[in-house]
Amino acid sequence: RISKEMLVAAFTHHQVMPAFLDFIFPFGMQEYLQDFYFSGLRHQTMLQSPPGGLVVPELGRSGREIRMCYNLKSVETSPSTKEWPWSIRQTAVYHSFDVETGKSFWVMVKGSQEIRNRIQEATAKGSTGPTNLSLLGSMGQAFASTLATHLVLCDWCDEDWRWYLNYLEKRVQAVTRRALTINIDKEPSLFEELIRPEFNPS
């Protein structure tokens, strides 16, 4: 587990943009979900005249960076819950790319090892295909590798929604399949007739 102090120290050292905190706050144990449906994307582009505090040559930082952070949601099977075998999971992502040195910095927050396993598989020796993340020989290859990493995350995000929707359809059909039709003598009205109180002169 990472303490708050360790997280602040790491984010400060790596100059993580503060907006990323909005995407990691929904994580953790909650009795009632808060901010779970919050989604977004934030970015900073500093290609000319970067702030002096961001230029750290000793750490290989030119200050000329492309930064972004966002969160994604997907559905994953949850065998531990028989009544509802699906769960909506989320991942928070932060990425910065130095356009002079080609260095990238990533932070990925997720409640399981799924994303880490996929990144490790894509960066393994001998990996081929459009999501090969091990090609870092030139500036162009380094930038292409970062785009391929985002593609790995997008592939995770969209792969199981079809099966989740099929499951929802089956649940709805099981409830409505026995529904009966009822004949209505008159056309239904959106407005109820006003009830007029009886007038009693006495």
Side-chain angles (χ1 to χ4, degrees):
R1 297 181 60 180
I2 300 177
S3 66
K4 180 177 67 175
E5 291 75 15
M6 293 174 61
L7 192 65
V8 170
F11 283 6
T12 302
H13 175 76
H14 291 286
Q15 303 172 333
V16 174
M17 53 191 291
F20 183 54
L21 296 176
D22 291 336
F23 299 102
I24 63 176
F25 283 154
F27 285 85
M29 296 294 296
Q30 299 180 11
E31 184 177 359
Y32 301 103
L33 293 179
Q34 295 182 353
D35 287 336
F36 183 77
Y37 298 103
F38 166 76
S39 296
L41 184 147
R42 305 286 186 270
H43 72 92
Q44 291 180 342
T45 301
M46 296 171 289
L47 300 181
Q48 295 181 350
S49 302
L54 300 180
V55 180
V56 188
E58 295 80 6
L59 298 178
R61 298 176 185 172
S62 68
R64 300 177 59 204
E65 292 183 344
I66 299 173
R67 300 178 174 186
M68 67 176 66
C69 58
Y70 58 89
N71 64 343
L72 297 173
K73 292 181 175 63
S74 185
V75 287
E76 297 178 351
T77 56
S78 180
S80 59
T81 307
K82 295 182 180 180
E83 296 181 357
W84 195 270
W86 291 94
S87 294
I88 297 179
R89 307 295 186 185
Q90 60 180 335
T91 296
V93 180
Y94 173 83
H95 173 227
S96 65
F97 180 78
D98 193 304
V99 298
E100 284 193 13
T101 65
K103 290 184 177 181
S104 287
F105 176 71
W106 293 88
V107 179
M108 300 181 190
V109 181
K110 192 179 186 303
S112 69
Q113 306 298 325
E114 179 68 22
I115 296 299
R116 188 184 73 170
N117 295 339
R118 295 186 182 214
I119 298 298
Q120 288 180 340
E121 181 180 349
T123 56
K125 292 183 178 179
S127 177
T128 59
T131 57
N132 182 10
L133 312 183
S134 60
L135 299 177
L136 303 173
S138 64
M139 180 68 68
Q141 289 178 336
F143 184 68
S145 178
T146 64
L147 298 180
T149 304
H150 290 290
L151 181 60
V152 171
L153 299 171
C154 292
D155 288 341
W156 165 82
C157 178
D158 71 351
E159 62 186 13
D160 283 333
W161 285 103
R162 174 186 175 184
W163 315 115
Y164 177 62
L165 294 176
N166 286 344
Y167 175 77
L168 293 180
E169 289 178 354
K170 290 181 180 179
R171 292 292 295 262
V172 171
Q173 290 176 3
V175 174
T176 61
R177 191 171 289 125
R178 299 181 181 180
L180 301 176
T181 58
I182 301 176
N183 294 326
I184 301 177
D185 297 334
K186 63 178 181 178
E187 294 183 1
S189 175
L190 297 177
F191 306 97
E192 296 182 357
E193 295 182 1
L194 296 177
I195 300 177
R196 300 180 180 276
E198 295 183 0
F199 176 72
N200 189 351
S202 61

